[in-house]
């Protein structure tokens, strides 16, 4: 009796799932590789830029000093670093030199104000979007020169690095904001 009840329950569950599958509407159309990669960049940009803007200019030089924080980047340095690497990754995808002097991985020393830092950041995202727009199913895993000097990498690897690298620094920026009593925009 118990076995029969279990079998009936499983059959009912299977029929319910089959009926639901027949009536379910597709939630999304097929996306191209380019669209998926661009969405990843957009997701980072949507979190990162408002966080960068949330810190008052007078706190852009903030870096934690209590505990094991010796030698860490300031808030502004975090932003400039991510922007500079965005440019380097985008240029590698496009197989060209960055369109601006990125000042190495630290970003340009000449950028010192919040407004200029945000401009550099936003323009770096525009450049990465441009680069990602050139990635398709044909060149996705094609080897290109690494922007960091060692061998070659795929365009897919470079595009994935934009998000992974940026979100690593976004997490640090969230801590810096909270240490200054600021709730990050994404958490409001």
């Amino acid at each position: 009796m118990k076995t029969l009840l279990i079998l009936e329950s499983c059959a009912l569950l299977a029929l319910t799932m089959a009926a639901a599958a027949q009536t379910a509407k597709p939630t999304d159309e097929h996306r191209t590789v380019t669209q998926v990669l661009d969405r990843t960049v957009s997701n980072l940009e949507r979190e990162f830029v408002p966080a960068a803007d949330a810190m008052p200019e007078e706190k852009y030089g903030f870096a934690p000093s209590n505990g094991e924080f010796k030698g860490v980047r300031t808030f502004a340095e975090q932003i400039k670093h991510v922007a500079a690497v965005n440019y380097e990754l985008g240029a590698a995808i496009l197989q060209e030199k960055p369109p601006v002097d990125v000042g190495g991985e630290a970003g340009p020393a000449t950028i010192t104000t919040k407004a200029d830092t945000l401009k550099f950041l936003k323009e770096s995202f525009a450049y990465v979007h441009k680069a990602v727009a050139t990635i398709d199913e044909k060149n996705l895993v094609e080897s290109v020169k690494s922007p960091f000097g060692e061998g070659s990498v795929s365009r897919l690897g470079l595009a994935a690095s934009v998000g992974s690298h940026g979100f690593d620094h976004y997490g640090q920026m969230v801590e810096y904001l909270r240490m200054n009593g600021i709730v990050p925009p994404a958490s409001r």
Side-chain angles (χ1 to χ4, degrees):
M1 179 76 170
K2 190 174 183 180
T3 304
L4 183 58
L5 184 59
I6 292 172
L7 288 174
E8 288 174 345
S9 297
C10 288
L12 182 59
L13 179 62
L15 287 172
T16 303
M17 290 174 62
Q22 289 177 355
T23 60
K25 295 179 183 173
T27 56
D28 289 309
E29 295 179 23
H30 172 74
R31 289 194 177 104
T32 66
V33 166
T34 307
Q35 291 169 320
V36 170
L37 294 174
D38 192 64
R39 171 87 48 98
T40 301
V41 173
S42 292
N43 289 342
L44 172 62
E45 184 178 17
R46 203 171 16 259
E47 303 279 331
F48 203 94
V49 173
D53 193 32
M55 185 72 89
E57 183 159 15
E58 64 271 10
K59 296 283 189 171
Y60 254 54
F62 173 81
S65 56
N66 294 334
E68 296 296 319
F69 290 103
K70 292 180 182 121
V72 297
R73 291 182 174 102
T74 66
F75 190 81
E77 289 169 340
Q78 296 280 354
I79 298 165
K80 287 175 25 175
H81 168 70
V82 168
V85 172
N86 281 353
Y87 274 115
E88 290 175 338
L89 293 170
I93 290 168
L94 294 168
Q95 296 182 328
E96 64 184 30
K97 290 187 178 208
V100 298
D101 176 17
V102 298
E105 287 187 42
T110 56
I111 294 178
T112 58
T113 67
K114 178 180 176 176
D116 288 344
T117 302
L118 288 172
K119 182 178 185 276
F120 183 61
L121 176 65
K122 290 174 184 177
E123 289 173 354
S124 80
F125 276 113
Y127 185 66
V128 169
H129 282 291
K130 174 186 168 188
V132 168
T134 68
I135 300 174
D136 58 30
E137 286 80 2
K138 293 177 187 159
N139 67 10
L140 181 68
V141 294
E142 186 178 280
S143 292
V144 295
K145 186 174 184 270
S146 171
F148 306 111
E150 293 188 22
S152 61
V153 293
S154 69
R155 285 182 174 88
L156 174 60
L158 292 169
S161 293
V162 172
S164 62
H165 175 259
F167 273 118
D168 178 43
H169 290 280
Y170 170 76
Q172 294 170 46
M173 289 170 54
V174 164
E175 290 298 319
Y176 288 24
L177 287 167
R178 290 193 180 275
M179 288 176 171
N180 283 280
I182 301 167
V183 176
S187 298
R188 293 180 187 155

